[in-house]
Amino acid sequence: MSRRFTAGAVATATALVMVATVPTGAATAAPTRSTEYTVVSADGVSADAALAAITAAGGTVVSRTDGVGLFQVVSDRSDFAKRAADSAVLVGAAERKAIGHAPKARLEKVEREELQAAAKTAGKNNRRGPVKADPLDDKLWGLEMLRATAARAVEPGDRRVTVGVMDTGLDASNPDLAANFNWALSKNFAKDLPDVDGPCEVASCVDAVGTDDNGHGTHVAGTIGAAANGVGLSGVAPKVSLVELKTGQDSGYFFLDSVVNALVYAADKGIDVVNMSFYVDPWAFNCLNNPADSAEEQAAQQATIKGMRRALDYAHARGVTLVGALGNNHEDLGAPRTDSSSPNYGGTPHDRPIDNSTCWDLPVEGPHVIGVSSLGPSGKKSDFSNYGVEQISVAAPGGWARDGFGTPSYLAAGNRILSSYPVKVLKEEGLVDADGNIVPGNEGVVFKECQTDGRCGYYTYLQGTSMASPHAAGVASLIVSRFGRPDFRRGGLTLSPDLVEHQLLRTAAEHACPEPRLQTYTNEGRSAEFNALCEGDENFNGFYGYGIVDAYAAVTSPLQPWKRP
């Protein structure tokens, strides 16, 4: 899961604010030009009624997402937000405004932890994956943990099954991804914001599909469905179709409007599975009424909660299986620590005690989301991974650089997850030179694989629950491939998300809590804050959920009816 950001230059973003709960006497700054807003309608209000109210308040709708009651609006009225809040049929309006924090790096420290230093230990790595199908597959210990190679002999995936990669984009120039890339369904929902993402690459600031200026999405996509084509490496489900749903900014922010619109699109287009390795900015936890936050900040979080729940419900009801990363903040999501990182834009981060009954980490704590924790090669919970019986569903390989303390593999590059990565980003990171050659000294952490026609793919290591979630999403797509039925309305195959989840969870390999149950990571150089208590039994516990995802069992065990609890 991509957790970003340190203080930096002023940037711009969209924050959804329920201004109806902000004191009516609050001052409204007069804009000097037309201003963009995101407007949310109240529950049960028709689109026509909302449109009429927006017009009456002085706004013009430029786009709309009727399924969840979101509207993009422009207005030159200085009092538009207040007028919208005063309407009985609108929840409120949010202005696209200047914010005070921007990223210095695309990926969080967890995901890139000491990677370049690990190049020196690459030769010591003793992690081995399955027998080679593609040249780099023997480095994919995650496939071995999932029994993915055995599963592939039974069910490699079906081209009619679509997996939406809700992320920063997807580099379709990589031969492993090009083979399975669905150009027709892929779409960009996250227009570049120059103050956040840097100069736009194209005049419209809307990056072309098939590109990724961050790298995170391309890495996730390769784990799900890189083709078994004799080059590079292969994914968990090497014959499914990959759909780019660009919801993340190049800088790594994930804004509410992009995420909601992508979920609705996935539902309407019949996409079978979506992977969500992120949290919705700017709040690590969205709370209904946290007293540490201002009235405006409380309103923004209330709107995020409402908007995300609507979108997740909408997608699930229309056949989308939702898979999400549990997060990299090394905490029990049922007993969260004080949040000191939020908001990561739009205000000053401050200490926020988190009330578990009124605060949620979204999307993973939203309805219908299969939450995935991260494991290292040894099968131990990664020190950074969130956990807890309240939100976890299953565990999957996410990598852990510090696994194997006291052995030659400790801090080895191969303790992480190897997957596809854009050459453009590797050049910007100084790992590949202008001619496309790996910079000397980095051969153990970056790999280049070329086809006979001269097209090349690039690969590198990352770690995180962001890397665990796509392993589970890949297995979910195998379940749809194996047991799905024709979707006569939208084409392809379809399978109830409840059935997919039930099959994924019941076939996971049960794993008991470690002994002692209170795991410490002192030897690995971590503070007491990383100590983690595993609660539960072998059938279900806070580290492994219902177990480690098992691709082979998922496609060979008969599908069982699911009964609502």
Side-chain angles (χ1 to χ4, degrees):
M1 174 178 286
S2 187
R3 280 189 188 273
R4 303 149 298 270
F5 311 121
T6 53
V10 171
T12 58
T14 298
L16 188 58
V17 182
M18 288 178 67
V19 298
T21 63
V22 177
T24 57
T28 303
T32 58
R33 55 181 174 79
S34 292
T35 305
E36 296 181 37
Y37 298 88
T38 300
V39 177
V40 177
S41 63
D43 290 338
V45 171
S46 70
D48 288 343
L51 287 168
I54 291 168
T55 302
T60 300
V61 174
V62 294
S63 66
R64 48 193 273 191
T65 310
D66 291 355
V68 291
L70 263 74
F71 303 84
Q72 298 303 118
V73 176
V74 295
S75 178
D76 58 5
R77 292 192 62 113
S78 62
D79 61 348
F80 173 76
K82 182 181 184 303
R83 289 165 65 92
D86 289 342
S87 170
V89 300
L90 302 177
V91 171
E95 180 183 349
R96 186 181 292 266
K97 60 182 181 179
I99 60 176
H101 296 275
K104 287 186 176 178
R106 290 183 177 89
L107 298 173
E108 62 174 12
K109 290 181 180 179
V110 164
E111 292 172 339
R112 274 293 201 187
E113 180 189 6
E114 301 180 24
L115 181 58
Q116 286 180 280
K120 299 177 182 178
T121 65
K124 299 179 181 179
N125 177 31
N126 61 1
R127 304 301 181 192
R128 290 292 179 264
V131 175
K132 289 187 178 183
D134 283 352
L136 299 176
D137 279 2
D138 64 341
K139 304 180 188 303
L140 306 184
W141 56 268
L143 293 188
E144 187 78 357
M145 184 178 286
L146 298 185
R147 299 204 292 171
T149 303
R152 186 178 302 172
V154 177
E155 179 56 73
D158 190 302
R159 190 76 62 208
R160 295 172 293 174
V161 174
T162 49
V163 182
V165 183
M166 289 181 60
D167 218 291
T168 59
L170 194 160
D171 178 14
S173 70
N174 185 304
D176 270 328
L177 303 183
N180 291 335
F181 189 68
N182 188 314
W183 290 94
L185 289 177
S186 294
K187 187 172 181 179
N188 182 351
F189 297 89
K191 182 178 181 179
D192 284 352
L193 301 173
D195 289 336
V196 175
D197 303 316
C200 295
E201 291 85 357
V202 294
S204 66
C205 290
V206 178
D207 293 340
V209 297
T211 64
D212 180 8
D213 293 329
N214 178 285
H216 192 270
T218 298
H219 199 279
V220 165
T223 295
I224 296 170
N229 55 1
V231 64
L233 49 74
S234 57
V236 174
K239 288 191 176 182
V240 298
S241 293
L242 298 170
V243 180
E244 174 193 347
L245 301 176
K246 182 173 170 25
T247 46
Q249 302 299 131
D250 294 348
S251 50
Y253 285 110
F254 288 79
F255 296 144
L256 179 62
D257 55 345
S258 300
V259 172
V260 167
N261 287 333
L263 284 169
V264 171
Y265 175 87
D268 291 343
K269 295 297 183 180
I271 292 173
D272 297 293
V273 179
V274 298
N275 184 81
M276 301 177 289
S277 292
F278 59 86
Y279 74 91
V280 179
D281 294 294
W283 302 95
F285 289 90
N286 287 274
C287 303
L288 291 175
N289 49 12
N290 194 320
D293 302 326
S294 69
E296 184 178 62
E297 290 171 335
Q298 290 178 11
Q301 294 166 73
Q302 291 163 11
T304 298
I305 293 166
K306 183 175 291 291
M308 284 301 299
R309 284 178 173 170
R310 284 180 180 175
L312 293 168
D313 282 340
Y314 185 92
H316 177 267
R318 287 157 180 80
V320 182
T321 297
L322 304 163
V323 184
L326 210 59
N328 297 338
N329 207 37
H330 56 276
E331 65 186 322
D332 182 344
L333 288 178
R337 300 187 306 273
T338 295
D339 171 27
S340 301
S341 66
S342 304
N344 65 13
Y345 71 82
T348 302
H350 52 273
D351 288 346
R352 309 169 61 236
I354 300 301
D355 172 27
N356 187 54
S357 65
T358 58
C359 299
W360 295 271
D361 180 356
L362 295 169
V364 73
E365 292 193 293
H368 316 298
V369 179
I370 299 168
V372 187
S373 69
S374 172
L375 306 178
S378 69
K380 292 182 65 177
K381 183 188 82 69
S382 308
D383 57 6
F384 53 77
S385 179
N386 288 348
Y387 59 98
V389 294
E390 183 178 276
Q391 296 301 333
I392 193 171
S393 302
V394 289
W400 181 26
R402 303 183 186 216
D403 204 354
F405 178 79
T407 74
S409 65
Y410 179 65
L411 291 179
N415 285 353
R416 302 159 177 83
I417 301 299
L418 182 66
S419 190
S420 43
Y421 210 69
V423 65
K424 176 180 185 291
V425 178
L426 289 170
K427 289 179 179 179
E428 292 169 353
E429 294 176 348
L431 300 175
V432 170
D433 66 23
D435 296 323
N437 300 311
I438 298 170
V439 173
N442 294 296
E443 294 88 349
V445 296
V446 177
F447 302 89
K448 177 182 179 181
E449 289 282 322
C450 298
Q451 292 183 313
T452 56
D453 62 5
R455 291 185 302 146
C456 299
Y458 292 80
Y459 309 83
T460 193
Y461 291 102
L462 295 177
Q463 65 175 10
T465 56
S466 282
M467 286 65 248
S469 182
H471 281 91
V475 177
S477 73
L478 291 179
I479 293 170
V480 181
S481 298
R482 185 68 170 166
F483 302 107
R485 53 181 173 75
D487 187 339
F488 295 109
R489 184 170 66 88
R490 296 173 300 191
L493 297 179
T494 188
L495 188 64
S496 161
D498 290 329
L499 285 175
V500 176
E501 179 178 8
H502 182 58
Q503 184 75 351
L504 184 72
L505 271 54
R506 78 172 192 84
T507 61
E510 293 182 354
H511 196 296
C513 285
E515 292 294 344
R517 284 176 174 257
L518 179 62
Q519 289 288 287
T520 63
Y521 299 94
T522 307
N523 287 337
E524 291 83 4
R526 297 302 196 187
S527 70
E529 184 180 273
F530 283 77
N531 292 354
L533 177 65
C534 185
E535 299 177 301
D537 56 24
E538 184 175 8
N539 179 61
F540 179 79
N541 60 69
F543 281 14
Y544 299 94
Y546 286 98
I548 302 171
V549 173
D550 187 332
Y552 181 72
V555 299
T556 57
S557 299
L559 191 68
Q560 294 186 0
W562 180 85
K563 296 181 180 180
R564 186 173 299 279

